[in-house]
Amino acid sequence: MRTQVGIVGAGPAGLLLSHLLHREGIESVVLENRSRAAIEATIRAGVLEQGTVDLLKAIGVGGRMEREGAVHHGIELRFDGRGHRIDLSDLTGGKAITVYAQHEVIKDLVAARLAAGGNIVFEAGDVSVHGIDGTTPSIRFRHDGESEELACELIAGCDGFHGVCRSAIPQSARTEFTRVYPFGWFGILTQAPPSSRELIYTHHSRGFALVSTRSPELQRMYLQCDPHDDVANWPDERIWSEFRARLATHDGWAPHEGPIIQKNIIAMRSFVCEPLRHGRLFLAGDAAHIVPPTGAKGLNLAVADVRVLSRAMTAFLREGRHDLLDEYSQTALRRVWRAEHFSWWMTTMLHQFPGNDPFQERLQLAELGYVTTSRPKATTLAENYVGLPLE
Ligand code: FAD
Ligand code: DHB
């Protein structure tokens, strides 16, 4: 098998890269180790930045998102039993976010690739990359019991944090920056009407809580928890009692409760691998960097990476230009580190740290008070949350 760009991983990064390259007349093959059904059913992120939404529309995969996604013009920060609205659109010259689940984006991208005759190999096992230091790299994998080799001109490592591509870069040629947080998020899906028209990020002495949504009938909510906890320790009544306690306001607000149909625990870390390139291998998305979910940046950063990468790969494969490929890592890392800072800042402001240090608590409340009363500070939150312009 032979193609121009071999892409490892059919997450948002890999699928979108394949679609963007196709629009430039560049061929790619996507190798994914899970099944189509599995990737289309994995519950993850839900908030799309303005730039992500604009891009999906511009490349013809935004139709269902426009019909079924919900545009939100603000968010609420809740602390001390009171809500404070951040008017995202007013603060950013009309920008907004769209709540549309990641697995729906995946379904739309898979459908678009297959409709255009794209090649996605699902259930590809034992994927490994070779020859990235030379000019004829390749990807080996197993499929339907056979060993296969895909010869390529360039390889994109879009295989997420636990993938194989990052470790194909020799340890001496990369630097990794990590921060692991001493808490996680307990995520639920509940069959209930929305509790709020906009997302609610809550700071509370019992821990952070977030009210999000998926549809008029299905709601997504998160609670700060011990990252090593087990969902089996959380019967529905314990979850609702915790949400009621953390989200309570002085005027008696309470969430709409319903049957909980999904529970999972998400560990939280900040991570960056530099550089994003080694020879003919280019990392994008979670394969290269992780943010804690508090700023809703993970999926959006993956999109921003591949937008830069698709242009650089196109310039190389069409015109033999090296300059954009040479700049890819530096260009993408500027946005990555901005998002790393924003996600760390939101996380630090909103969560309880072990020991409940009263000094830290006062600092958090001072920061929340400032963000919700100063227009410049609120603008900082808003412009990062809706997403800085794509380069
Ligand atoms: P991924 O979506 O991880 O895609 C990588 C793909 O590569 C996967 O399909 C995987 O199966 C495949 N793969 C892995 N290894 C191999 C291999 N060896 N060979 C072939 N294929 C391979 N972000 C938010 O903003 N909000 C959230 O609430 C949120 N929740 C999350 C919950 C979980 C459990 C996780 C893991 C992440 C969450 N994120 C969240 C982050 C966000 O979902 C990611 O940033 C986003 O998925 C990144 O996209 P990606 O394409 O880079 O990687
Ligand atoms: C969702 C996830 C996030 O990480 C976030 O900050 C807001 C919403 C969600 O899954 O809906």
Side-chain angles (χ1 to χ4, degrees):
M1 278 171 91
R2 172 170 293 282
T3 192
Q4 289 179 289
V5 182
I7 300 175
V8 186
L15 291 169
L16 183 60
L17 177 62
S18 178
H19 187 69
L20 290 170
L21 291 172
H22 165 72
R23 287 172 55 85
E24 299 295 337
I26 303 224
E27 242 185 59
S28 64
V29 174
V30 180
L31 303 173
E32 164 60 50
N33 65 5
R34 293 187 298 157
S35 67
R36 178 176 180 183
I39 65 164
E40 291 188 345
T42 305
I43 309 294
R44 285 196 175 177
V47 172
L48 306 183
E49 291 177 357
Q50 183 71 59
T52 301
V53 168
D54 293 343
L55 177 65
L56 294 176
K57 283 187 201 170
I59 61 174
V61 287
R64 210 161 58 87
M65 172 189 72
E66 283 189 87
R67 287 192 302 279
E68 298 174 19
V71 177
H72 289 208
H73 297 281
I75 57 167
E76 179 181 325
L77 293 181
R78 188 173 287 188
F79 56 99
D80 272 347
R82 281 190 188 80
H84 307 260
R85 183 165 190 265
I86 304 286
D87 191 328
L88 299 172
S89 297
D90 176 51
L91 293 163
T92 60
K95 293 186 185 173
I97 53 140
T98 296
V99 179
Y100 185 63
Q102 176 168 333
H103 67 281
E104 304 295 346
V105 176
I106 295 280
K107 285 185 205 167
D108 297 343
L109 287 169
V110 168
R113 286 312 298 127
L114 297 181
N119 190 351
I120 308 173
V121 180
F122 293 104
E123 298 175 75
D126 298 337
V127 174
S128 58
V129 301
H130 303 271
I132 56 177
D133 284 310
T135 54
T136 54
S138 66
I139 308 177
R140 295 188 197 141
F141 61 101
R142 288 187 69 77
H143 191 242
D144 286 340
E146 304 284 322
S147 293
E148 309 264 4
E149 179 152 0
L150 175 66
C152 344
E153 291 177 61
L154 300 170
I155 297 179
C158 301
D159 50 347
F161 184 65
H162 300 287
V164 295
C165 289
R166 187 173 65 252
S167 52
I169 301 178
Q171 210 146 22
S172 59
R174 63 185 144 101
T175 309
E176 297 186 347
F177 304 83
T178 307
R179 181 133 313 174
V180 176
Y181 299 89
F183 39 75
W185 277 13
F186 195 105
I188 65 158
L189 275 178
T190 179
Q191 288 168 325
S195 292
S196 163
R197 284 182 43 240
E198 295 176 343
L199 271 59
I200 306 172
Y201 287 80
T202 309
H203 174 274
H204 191 274
S205 57
R206 300 183 66 88
F208 170 78
L210 170 60
V211 178
S212 182
T213 184
R214 285 293 179 268
S215 71
E217 299 83 30
L218 199 60
Q219 311 312 317
R220 180 81 165 141
M221 297 170 72
Y222 300 94
L223 280 172
Q224 177 182 346
C225 68
D226 178 339
H228 308 295
D229 209 338
D230 185 338
V231 292
N233 295 329
W234 288 82
D236 292 12
E237 181 41 38
R238 181 177 173 208
I239 294 172
W240 286 121
S241 131
E242 205 54 47
F243 274 122
R244 284 192 296 268
R246 297 185 191 187
L247 293 166
T249 61
H250 296 303
D251 54 10
W253 190 96
H256 290 304
E257 300 178 19
I260 296 177
I261 57 167
Q262 210 250 1
K263 304 177 186 178
N264 68 326
I265 291 178
I266 303 153
M268 286 166 70
R269 72 172 71 230
S270 299
F271 172 84
V272 181
C273 170
E274 291 184 0
L276 305 184
R277 174 202 190 162
H278 184 80
R280 296 246 171 164
L281 172 65
F282 297 81
L283 302 179
D286 278 15
H289 42 75
I290 297 287
V291 287
T294 325
K297 291 289 134 208
L299 162 63
N300 294 293
L301 265 190
V303 168
D305 282 356
V306 298
R307 209 177 94 119
V308 176
L309 184 56
S310 67
R311 289 189 176 162
M313 287 183 158
T314 301
F316 175 75
L317 292 167
R318 281 231 209 117
E319 304 160 43
R321 276 173 58 188
H322 287 258
D323 54 332
L324 296 182
L325 282 183
D326 292 344
E327 288 164 18
Y328 165 65
S329 184
Q330 239 190 340
T331 305
L333 282 169
R334 273 198 294 277
R335 187 182 190 85
V336 167
W337 277 110
R338 176 86 292 282
E340 290 287 342
H341 182 273
F342 177 67
S343 305
W344 163 85
W345 173 69
M346 288 281 280
T347 301
T348 306
M349 177 168 71
L350 288 163
H351 290 73
Q352 289 299 321
F353 285 74
N356 285 5
D357 173 7
F359 181 78
Q360 169 133 10
E361 169 78 5
R362 288 290 192 280
L363 291 181
Q364 290 174 320
L365 291 173
E367 190 76 339
L368 283 162
Y370 188 28
V371 177
T372 50
T373 52
S374 154
R375 189 173 171 94
K377 188 73 175 174
T379 304
T380 295
L381 191 157
E383 70 178 2
N384 281 276
Y385 194 78
V386 301
L388 294 163
L390 288 164
E391 286 195 43

